[in-house]
Amino acid sequence: MRIDFHTHSSVSDGTDPPAAVMRQARAAGLDVVALTDHDTVDGHPEAKRELPPGMTFVPGMELSCRLDGHSVHMLAYLFDPAHAELADQSERIRTDRVRRAVAMVSRLADLGTGVTWEQVTEMADGGVVGRPHIARALAARGVIDKPSLAFTKEWIGMGGRAYVGRYALEPAHAIALIRDAGGVAVLAHPRAGRDSWMIPDEVIARLAASGLAGVEVWHPDHDSSERTRLLHLADELGLVPSGGSDDHGTLTGHRLGCEVITPESYERLIERSSGAVPVRI
Ligand SMILES: [Zn+2]
Ligand SMILES: [Zn+2]
């Protein structure tokens, strides 16, 4: 059984609609796929409706959190999407993301880049506008050679000239909300490195004590030594090792299924959840 537990669609910052993600997942030989768009469950109905035969769909979401000034991503699975407080908080994050994106575009305009709000919303194609879309707009204007170069102090990297912070949840708060909604919380890519914070063992231990169910081990941005360390840590803390491709369509070179989790991890995460069930047709 091949299980990819981390994917994105154009409902957040991926490039392909949920139906296409489901189709491509099947074509990639997957049996189970979780859709984990940033701060939204809006892609779930389409994913379920267009589920290819034989494929199991797991409803998920990747919640934007912040700890000590660092961005932290918390994956949530199998929660009740109608849970009022969780729905309110994810909506607040989404709304604030727009305010923040507008502010960053205005700073970029002041910096003479020529990037406009119209151009950025076009890049988002109806999805939640985020920094990846602004990065693509900057590249399209020829300000930078490729989108990844936007995430620096020069432009929209944290602390950058056009960077604006935004609303996010404390990870412990996110975990409590996810659990209250009957879901399971999994810490996303804690050792992705590069621009992101390498979350220390002690912090993961604290989150485990707050009710965290799992931690991503199998992620494209984790090298083999981090995977080994995280597997040990998960074992020590009683966390379920999890992961997935974190595919964003063309942005990540269509890599659905490049990372999978074990059936045992899958079963353990399902066992701990009560807010929703995997969907299979
Ligand atoms: Zn993430
Ligand atoms: Zn992700």
Side-chain angles (χ1 to χ4, degrees):
M1 190 158 65
R2 288 174 46 81
I3 308 157
D4 188 337
F5 238 44
H6 190 162
T7 73
H8 295 273
S9 76
S10 55
V11 169
S12 66
D13 56 350
T15 54
D16 301 329
V21 175
M22 295 301 116
R23 267 199 314 275
Q24 289 161 17
R26 194 66 183 136
L30 289 164
D31 304 291
V32 181
V33 67
L35 184 64
T36 52
D37 277 313
H38 296 282
D39 311 302
T40 178
V41 296
D42 288 355
H44 294 178
E46 180 184 318
K48 284 184 210 168
R49 215 170 42 236
E50 308 281 334
L51 205 56
M55 174 66 91
T56 298
F57 167 75
V58 174
M61 171 162 70
E62 188 171 13
L63 272 172
S64 306
C65 299
R66 191 164 43 229
L67 189 62
D68 302 332
H70 302 286
S71 162
V72 171
H73 288 175
M74 188 65 67
L75 291 156
Y77 301 97
L78 299 163
F79 51 88
D80 174 6
H83 185 273
E85 178 67 5
L86 183 56
D88 279 358
Q89 287 293 334
S90 47
E91 199 202 329
R92 185 165 170 199
I93 295 170
R94 289 201 308 275
T95 319
D96 193 65
R97 178 176 282 164
V98 175
R99 174 202 63 83
R100 172 215 201 194
V102 169
M104 284 194 285
V105 168
S106 130
R107 288 194 190 179
L108 288 171
D110 291 345
L111 289 168
T113 58
V115 170
T116 64
W117 182 244
E118 288 67 32
Q119 188 197 2
V120 172
T121 49
E122 237 166 68
M123 294 282 176
D125 199 21
V128 185
V129 173
R131 280 193 297 167
H133 307 116
I134 299 176
R136 279 157 65 191
L138 276 169
R141 288 271 178 226
V143 176
I144 48 178
D145 288 338
K146 52 182 184 187
S148 60
L149 297 176
F151 297 91
T152 60
K153 294 260 186 242
E154 179 107 7
W155 303 110
I156 54 170
M158 197 175 294
R161 293 187 298 165
Y163 178 82
V164 177
R166 69 180 162 100
Y167 180 71
L169 295 171
E170 283 280 327
H173 182 195
I175 292 168
L177 278 176
I178 293 162
R179 282 171 53 114
D180 197 52
V184 284
V186 172
L187 182 63
H189 46 70
R191 303 285 163 79
R194 285 188 303 198
D195 305 339
S196 57
W197 185 37
M198 299 287 271
I199 305 178
D201 286 7
E202 311 83 73
V203 173
I204 299 176
R206 245 182 7 243
L207 295 177
S210 309
L212 184 70
V215 61
E216 281 200 316
V217 172
W218 303 291
H219 187 280
D221 294 339
H222 285 167
D223 64 27
S224 63
S225 63
E226 285 303 344
R227 288 171 195 229
T228 309
R229 266 182 230 137
L230 284 167
L231 264 180
H232 279 295
L233 187 67
D235 196 42
E236 233 175 77
L237 299 172
L239 294 172
V240 180
S242 187
S245 64
D246 205 356
D247 181 68
H248 285 71
T250 53
L251 286 182
T252 48
H254 288 286
R255 61 186 188 187
L256 283 165
C258 71
E259 302 281 354
V260 290
I261 69 171
T262 64
E264 190 207 340
S265 287
Y266 178 51
E267 293 302 331
R268 284 173 70 191
L269 290 171
I270 288 177
E271 256 167 39
R272 295 194 191 192
S273 63
S274 58
V277 289
V279 180
R280 195 192 157 104
I281 50 156

